[in-house]
Amino acid sequence: MTNLVLATTAFLATHFVTSTALRPALVKAIGEWPYRGAYSTVAFVTLGWMIWAYIRAPYEVLWPGLRLLPLFVMPLAFVLIACGYYRNPTMVGADKLLKSDDPARGIIRITRHPIMWGVMLWAAVHVLARGDLKSLVFFGGLFLVAAAGTLLMDARKSKTNPDWARFASVTSHVPFVAIAQRRNRIVWWEIGWLRPIIGLAAFAVFFLLHAWIFGARPY
């Protein structure tokens, strides 16, 4: 378990570097794309370490797992992730979308961080469904990266991108808040049917092959 805690701590530290003074210093020293390459490499290495440590950590039950919860929550998580890869101004390299006349379209009308919310739901449901200590550390770490990452991204973009204020005024971090406040509206045809179906199909594949891929049943 100690190894898993160390790996998760390293993984978290790697991701929070982007919101410290170390990031601009590194970019200035080696350049933007070399920095992104080094950052991605370290992130994948620490994630691999986490997975390796998770597999070898003992199973220690903390509460009775809510085994059927993934059947209801995971499809939504996969749909958010699949839809979030289309016309998303919060993705790396997509800042130019913030300059468009209508930067908040499709799934972005519901939440400006659909991919991160998908990851948060995915991680949270694993913690609740499994109910053991190593899942709390592993998936809790992934949840924390996604949740804190969205807040840090908003703070950073609000300071560095002059178009962010206009985008933030018609979107919300928490799903449906901007719609409830009438700062935006749902336009279903913008979301379409293809990407939600891709998300649901991905969920079905993972559900059917879960035991074979991960060595554990999904419920």
Side-chain angles (χ1 to χ4, degrees):
M1 186 59 67
T2 301
N3 203 15
L4 177 58
V5 171
L6 291 174
T8 304
T9 301
F11 181 75
L12 292 171
T14 297
H15 283 76
F16 292 149
V17 163
T18 59
S19 300
T20 68
L22 184 59
R23 183 191 188 281
L26 290 173
V27 170
K28 183 178 180 180
I30 65 176
E32 178 68 30
W33 286 104
Y35 164 79
R36 291 186 185 182
Y39 169 80
S40 299
T41 299
V42 174
F44 277 113
V45 168
T46 54
L47 178 59
W49 182 15
M50 279 180 67
I51 295 172
W52 178 84
Y54 176 79
I55 293 172
R56 286 159 177 77
Y59 182 74
E60 302 176 41
V61 178
L62 297 177
W63 63 80
L66 305 175
R67 295 295 185 179
L68 295 180
L69 188 62
L71 293 176
F72 302 98
V73 180
M74 290 295 285
L76 176 59
F78 274 84
V79 168
L80 285 171
I81 292 171
C83 292
Y85 276 99
Y86 175 69
R87 206 178 186 281
N88 186 346
T90 65
M91 293 181 65
V92 175
D95 285 356
K96 63 181 181 181
L97 290 174
L98 294 173
K99 297 182 180 298
S100 63
D101 293 335
D102 190 4
R105 293 174 57 86
I107 201 71
I108 304 301
R109 295 182 185 274
I110 296 175
T111 170
R112 60 175 171 262
H113 296 294
I115 296 176
M116 290 300 193
W117 269 100
V119 173
M120 280 189 276
L121 289 175
W122 175 81
V125 80
H126 275 79
V127 172
L128 295 174
R130 294 187 60 82
D132 64 295
L133 180 58
K134 69 176 184 177
S135 293
L136 178 62
V137 175
F138 181 87
F139 294 106
L142 296 178
F143 178 90
L144 183 59
V145 164
T150 57
L151 299 176
L152 294 172
M153 181 190 302
D154 284 1
R156 185 173 68 252
K157 296 244 181 182
S158 66
K159 294 178 180 179
T160 61
N161 194 313
D163 300 303
W164 183 259
R166 181 170 65 96
F167 175 66
S169 69
V170 294
T171 60
S172 63
H173 181 300
V174 178
F176 296 105
V177 168
I179 294 171
Q181 294 175 342
R182 297 185 178 181
R183 293 186 285 116
N184 212 320
R185 68 192 191 285
I186 298 179
V187 183
W188 294 111
W189 67 264
E190 291 179 355
I191 299 174
W193 55 268
L194 179 59
R195 289 174 182 82
I197 286 180
I198 291 173
L200 292 175
F203 164 73
V205 170
F206 272 89
F207 180 81
L208 294 173
L209 301 180
H210 197 281
W212 179 68
I213 297 174
F214 301 105
R217 294 175 64 188
Y219 58 90

